[in-house]
């Protein structure tokens, strides 16, 4: 049975990926989820699978070399899927150091421990061992408002925020391991994800949550920055396909071909909420465009991201399957059905962050 070591599996994409993998492979794989449970890590995301015999959670920090070494020593790991990171741009602007620590140093520790566990005496690697580094399109910087401009795998790395700079650095480390040691790895650079279990500091869950509570909807700058939104399960599928069918040492861009201005996203969410809420629901009365509030722009705000997923489509046959209209309904439905989840993650520390951020 193949053993996966998933880092950051209690976060948004990691937990969706674990659900995807158990749905697809059921008892044919074993998953070890290593997560230190920062504010963004939530074991509630995995409560329906936590009792499986083929699932183990280990609370550990990826920067803790001894802890990670021990996990490799005690388990014959076949696949690493490395999600663990600090992931929010606004937090990186306030406190860059933690991003360097987790995203750069943490990735170095993961690479080094995997290399030590998998390397043979002659410097080659045990067969069928693979490391997948989950990265972002933000490493490519910002595109102009030209609908023909896209990020390709060959686009220059040109990060602007401390978050994207730390992710670009971690990508470079993975590349260095591939180039220097022929370390068996791939890198994926994905566009903005949305879907269940996303922490409400990111645009889509924040807008859903605020609108339902009749709170203001903060729009940075002119609201015309463009992001390319991908339903999280399509990303999970892409990761699995890259690891199964991708060519080792290659980088794959993963994107939704779903570019939208932030203001368009907000308007779609408001319309969809009104469409989905029954007339007798009291929340419906306060959901309207007057909640939209333009606020000071994010420092260094990237204007536009847009992925050309040509390579992953041509080489692996991956394509985004969930249209935004459908994906946003699935997401809103999930939030309707999981109000407790939202209450729990927005209590405590997050309240302090929100008050500070939007004061
Ligand atoms: P997230 O913030 O929701 O989850 C990150 C997880 O990593 C959390 O469970 C957290 O507890 C864990 N973690 C953080 N520091 C850790 C440490 N030092 N040791 C162990 N665990 C630690 O992030 P996400 O949105 O799920 O993103 C996952 C990955 O995908 C990240 O690498 C991110 O850069 C990348 N990515 C995200 C998006 C997106 O739209 N969210 C898009 C492309 C790529
Ligand atoms: P975000 O979800 O933080 O993702 P990223 O910065 O990684 O793309 O933000 C998506 C877009 O929405 C980005 O252009 C910033 C903007 N935004 C707002 O306008 N208001 C908000 O409250 C947030 C969180 C984001």
């Amino acid at each position: 049975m193949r053993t996966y070591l998933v880092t950051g599996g209690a976060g948004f994409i990691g937990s969706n990926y674990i659900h995807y993998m158990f749905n697809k492979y059921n008892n044919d794989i074993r998953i070890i989820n290593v997560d230190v449970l920062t504010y963004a890590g939530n074991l509630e995301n995995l409560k329906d699978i936590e009792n499986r015999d083929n699932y183990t959670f280990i609370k550990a920090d990826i920067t803790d070399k001894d802890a990670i070494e021990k996990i490799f020593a005690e388990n014959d790991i076949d696949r690493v899927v490395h999600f663990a990171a600090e992931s929010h741009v606004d937090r990186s602007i306030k406190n860059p150091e933690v991003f360097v620590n987790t995203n750069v140093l943490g990735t170095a520790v993961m690479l080094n421990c995997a290399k030590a566990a998998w390397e043979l005496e002659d410097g080659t690697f045990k067969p069928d061992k693979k490391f997948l580094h989950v990265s972002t399109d933000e490493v490519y910087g910002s595109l102009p408002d030209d609908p023909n401009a896209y990020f390709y795998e060959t686009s220059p790395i040109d990060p602007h925020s401390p978050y994207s700079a730390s992710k670009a650095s971690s990508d470079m480390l993975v590349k260095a391991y591939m180039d220097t040691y022929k370390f068996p790895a791939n890198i994926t650079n994905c566009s903005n994800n949305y879907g269940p279990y996303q922490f409400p500091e990111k645009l889509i869950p924040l807008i859903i949550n605020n609108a339902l509570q009749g709170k203001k909807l903060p729009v940075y700058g002119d609201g015309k920055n463009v992001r390319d939104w991908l339903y999280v399960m399509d990303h999970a599928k892409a990761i699995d396909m890259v690891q199964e069918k991708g060519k080792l040492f290659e980088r794959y861009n993963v994107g939704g071909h779903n570019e939208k201005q932030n203001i368009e996203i907000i308007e779609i969410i408001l319309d969809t909420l009104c469409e989905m809420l029954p007339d007798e629901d009291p929340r419906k009365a306060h959901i309207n465009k007057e909640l939209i509030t333009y606020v000071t722009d994010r420092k260094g705000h990237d204007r536009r991201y847009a992925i050309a997923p040509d390579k992953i489509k041509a080489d692996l046959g991956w394509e985004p399957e969930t249209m935004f209209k459908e994906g946003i309904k699935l997401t809103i439905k999930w939030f309707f059905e999981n109000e407790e989840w939202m209450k729990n993650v927005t209590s405590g520390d997050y309240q302090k962050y929100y008050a500070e951020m939007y004061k």
Side-chain angles (χ1 to χ4, degrees), residues 3 10 41 46 55 77 92 105 120 130-132 143 156 159 170 173 190 203 212 217 244-245 265 294 296 305 319 351:
T3 300
L46 296 159
Y55 170 75
I77 306 292
S92 83
L105 183 62
L120 298 167
K130 294 181 188 179
F131 188 108
L132 191 140
L143 291 165
S170 63
L173 271 175
C190 189
L203 181 70
L212 285 172
L217 311 177
E244 288 318 298
K245 304 205 285 176
I265 291 287
Y294 287 87
T296 312
Y305 302 145
E319 274 188 289
Q351 294 291 11

Side-chain angles (χ1 to χ4, degrees), residues 35-65:
D35 197 304
V36 77
L37 303 180
T38 66
Y39 76 95
N42 184 356
L43 288 181
E44 233 185 299
N45 300 0
L46 296 159
K47 65 175 186 297
D48 50 334
I49 56 113
E50 69 190 0
N51 293 323
R52 293 185 74 108
D53 292 337
N54 54 345
Y55 170 75
T56 310
F57 171 70
I58 299 175
K59 186 170 188 296
D61 191 321
I62 55 164
T63 63
D64 180 346
K65 185 171 170 281

Side-chain angles (χ1 to χ4, degrees), residues 69-294:
E69 250 172 22
K70 186 164 178 275
I71 295 168
F72 276 96
E74 291 176 353
N75 300 279
D76 183 13
I77 306 292
D78 301 296
R79 301 278 189 271
V80 174
V81 184
H82 178 38
F83 292 100
E86 288 292 335
S87 68
H88 189 40
V89 174
D90 293 322
R91 286 182 192 253
S92 83
I93 294 167
K94 282 196 173 298
N95 183 10
E97 281 175 10
V98 62
F99 283 71
V100 177
N101 193 49
T102 295
N103 299 0
V104 187
L105 183 62
T107 300
V109 168
M110 289 307 303
L111 287 166
N112 224 26
C113 291
K115 175 176 172 286
W118 294 346
E119 198 170 26
L120 298 167
E121 276 185 9
D122 64 0
T124 63
F125 289 90
K126 293 179 186 169
D128 203 29
K129 303 289 187 190
K130 294 181 188 179
F131 188 108
L132 191 140
H133 177 62
V134 181
S135 190
T136 164
D137 59 356
E138 303 190 24
V139 301
Y140 299 119
S142 184
L143 291 165
D145 280 330
D146 165 2
N148 296 315
Y150 286 104
F151 292 138
Y152 292 90
E153 286 79 359
T154 48
S155 299
I157 302 296
D158 183 24
H160 300 303
S161 72
Y163 163 66
S164 54
S166 70
K167 291 298 290 187
S169 309
S170 63
D171 290 15
M172 291 295 117
L173 271 175
V174 178
K175 184 178 178 303
Y177 270 63
M178 297 193 290
D179 294 349
T180 307
Y181 310 111
K182 296 279 168 286
F183 178 75
N186 288 102
I187 301 170
T188 53
N189 294 88
C190 189
S191 62
N192 287 61
N193 284 215
Y194 68 101
Y197 305 110
Q198 188 167 28
F199 194 82
E201 65 186 353
K202 305 277 168 63
L203 181 70
I204 287 185
L206 186 139
I207 296 299
I208 296 172
N209 188 36
N210 280 19
L212 285 172
Q213 294 183 56
K215 285 191 188 160
K216 289 179 177 171
L217 311 177
V219 182
Y220 298 167
D222 65 1
K224 292 186 177 157
N225 299 67
V226 170
R227 298 292 182 264
D228 176 1
W229 294 95
L230 180 69
Y231 192 63
V232 63
M233 279 299 176
D234 286 345
H235 186 191
K237 183 173 181 182
I239 288 171
D240 183 41
M241 285 175 86
V242 167
Q243 222 171 24
E244 288 318 298
K245 304 205 285 176
K247 254 173 66 190
L248 272 183
F249 316 121
E250 293 286 321
R251 176 193 288 274
Y252 293 91
N253 283 353
V254 186
H257 262 320
N258 179 54
E259 291 167 48
K260 292 208 179 337
Q261 292 182 342
N262 295 335
I263 192 69
E264 286 179 73
I265 291 287
I266 294 171
E267 284 170 1
I268 294 172
I269 293 174
L270 292 178
D271 290 345
T272 314
L273 281 172
C274 287
E275 196 185 306
M276 290 174 73
L277 280 171
D279 285 341
E280 61 276 15
D281 192 308
R283 292 172 298 183
K284 198 163 178 170
H286 59 233
I287 296 179
N288 62 60
K289 292 194 175 135
E290 276 160 38
L291 296 175
I292 295 174
T293 310
Y294 287 87

